[in-house]
Amino acid sequence: MRHFLTLSDFTQSELQEMIELAKTIKTQTKKREFVPYLKNQTLAMIFEKSSTRTRVSFETGIYQLGGTGLFLSSRDIQLGRGEPMKDTARVISRMVDMVMIRTFEQSKLEEFAKYSKVPVINGLTDSFHPVQLMTDYLTMLEFGKTKPTVAYIGDGNNMAHSWLYLAAIMGFELRVATPKGYECNKDIVAKAQELAKEYGGKISIGYDPKEAVTGVDVVTTDTWVSMGQEQEKAKRVADFKGFMVDTELFSLAKSDAIFLHCLPAYRGYEVSEEIFEAHANEIFTEAENRLHAQKGIMVWLDRARDK
Ligand code: CP
Ligand code: NVA
């Protein structure tokens, strides 16, 4: 049995298999052929943070695969009143077939997985957002960016960390530009550099958004204020001055460059209204691809369990 906690737990060919499954199932879904790959299975979805895309895509996804989704907000289950993660894991995993968790520390997710009898999927932690990055990879392929150079501009957060692992393992070039004081976690960067060596990826880390964006195929960013950091907003907005992806910055990328954003987006902060709307097709294709990419992941995990 395998869990989907972070991209670095997988080889390039394993991630590729998930992407291939996602593509196949997306084609079937578009033809309204709903193949019951996960017939009668239940996916429990535990949310300790808010969500629009993750909730709707997992719940719809499992339903379209022939199963059912259980939305469990920590506000409503005993976890929110202090029942330990390991007890929650031992109870829920005896009743359902797969679990998705959105939580704070990666260690909480790992604790759940350690005690779970069924595969556990990371639906976002403070450190990583791997299902989003599988989605972003699928979206880049669909837009013809098969061996892209990508610029990530902004906070060295969960999205940046998962971009590092994706680029390293799938073997493409990633340039990260953050303000000073908002760098990616050093250990994660080091691990990504190691993986990049193994798979032929290329990672550079810096502080200059213009340098990072110049000549790239894909520009991406994320909110400056992640869930749980709301009290830091004023300081962050001041510190991220100069890091908005606007027309001037984007014009340095290749003329056919695409723009990705995991959403929710805050216009006038990490991205300008103009750039967001000019690239709405890419952004909302990316949002839709959450549904398809995660189906690929769930079916892969189900098959891995049977091996
Ligand atoms: N991108 C993403 O994970 O969106 P939600 O927070 O709405 O799930
Ligand atoms: N970095 C953001 C991503 C939201 C999908 C957060 O953690 O809130």
Side-chain angles (χ1 to χ4, degrees):
M1 183 182 76
R2 302 282 295 276
H3 300 296
F4 193 85
L5 307 185
T6 176
L7 297 176
S8 61
D9 293 340
F10 298 92
T11 63
Q12 184 184 79
S13 57
E14 287 173 336
L15 295 182
Q16 202 60 57
E17 283 168 17
M18 295 176 207
I19 292 290
E20 290 308 317
L21 273 169
K23 283 189 203 162
T24 304
I25 301 171
K26 179 170 182 177
T27 307
Q28 290 165 336
T29 304
K30 290 289 176 192
K31 290 195 271 184
R32 304 199 71 72
E33 265 174 39
F34 296 108
V35 183
Y37 291 92
L38 302 180
K39 190 161 187 257
N40 294 335
Q41 295 201 24
T42 301
L43 172 75
M45 307 180 295
I46 302 173
F47 284 91
E48 294 204 278
K49 291 175 174 170
S50 306
S51 168
T52 298
R53 281 143 290 271
T54 305
R55 179 187 175 173
V56 176
S57 55
F58 269 108
E59 194 162 336
T60 305
I62 186 73
Y63 178 71
Q64 292 181 348
L65 294 172
T68 191
L70 271 184
F71 172 69
L72 304 170
S73 157
S74 59
R75 274 189 291 272
D76 305 323
I77 61 173
Q78 299 288 7
L79 180 68
R81 296 183 65 250
E83 185 167 18
M85 214 37 149
K86 60 183 180 181
D87 294 358
T88 308
R90 282 179 285 189
V91 172
I92 292 179
S93 73
R94 280 174 179 247
M95 299 182 190
V96 306
D97 303 283
M98 220 173 269
V99 180
M100 185 239 85
I101 310 181
R102 169 168 285 196
T103 186
F104 292 87
E105 297 85 6
Q106 184 78 4
S107 57
K108 285 176 86 177
L109 174 78
E110 285 164 0
E111 166 99 339
F112 191 104
K114 185 175 160 197
Y115 287 92
S116 174
K117 288 168 103 68
V118 299
V120 176
I121 301 172
N122 182 351
L124 180 145
T125 61
D126 292 345
S127 302
F128 298 109
H129 197 2
V131 292
Q132 179 70 56
L133 269 291
M134 292 297 279
T135 303
D136 295 0
Y137 189 67
L138 175 64
T139 309
M140 291 196 295
L141 294 181
E142 288 180 351
F143 281 94
K145 312 296 181 196
T146 47
K147 203 82 184 161
T149 298
V150 180
Y152 175 95
I153 307 302
D155 193 13
N157 63 11
N158 44 11
M159 280 299 296
H161 292 156
S162 287
W163 270 107
L164 286 169
Y165 282 166
L166 184 80
I169 301 167
M170 301 319 281
F172 61 84
E173 182 177 349
L174 175 70
R175 304 176 191 165
V176 177
T178 70
K180 292 218 163 94
Y182 296 92
E183 295 89 353
C184 292
N185 174 292
K186 282 195 177 58
D187 295 336
I188 294 171
V189 174
K191 188 162 183 172
Q193 295 286 17
E194 241 174 69
L195 288 164
K197 256 188 239 156
E198 186 180 341
Y199 290 112
K202 189 172 170 209
I203 286 162
S204 54
I205 308 280
Y207 298 105
D208 183 349
K210 289 190 177 138
E211 197 185 317
V213 167
T214 301
V216 299
D217 304 290
V218 180
V219 180
T220 189
T221 182
D222 184 21
T223 181
W224 295 341
V225 186
S226 285
M227 288 181 275
Q229 298 173 334
E230 290 75 9
Q231 344 65 264
E232 297 171 33
K233 182 173 174 186
K235 179 171 170 29
R236 284 178 163 264
V237 168
D239 292 347
F240 279 78
K241 199 169 174 288
F243 281 77
M244 184 197 295
V245 179
D246 57 12
T247 307
E248 193 192 336
L249 183 61
F250 198 86
S251 69
L252 299 172
K254 279 197 188 140
S255 58
D256 64 347
I258 63 168
F259 175 74
L260 296 178
H261 194 308
C262 68
L263 304 176
Y266 299 90
R267 286 128 155 125
Y269 295 95
E270 77 273 11
V271 61
S272 69
E273 168 76 12
E274 203 181 353
I275 285 295
F276 186 93
E277 291 303 334
H279 295 275
N281 181 39
E282 292 127 49
I283 297 167
F284 292 107
T285 300
E286 176 188 10
E288 180 195 323
N289 277 341
R290 290 292 300 274
L291 175 68
H292 309 298
Q294 290 160 191
K295 284 180 181 171
I297 294 166
M298 288 192 283
V299 172
W300 192 94
L301 290 172
D302 184 55
R303 291 182 178 174
R305 147 169 65 198
D306 296 336
K307 273 180 193 155

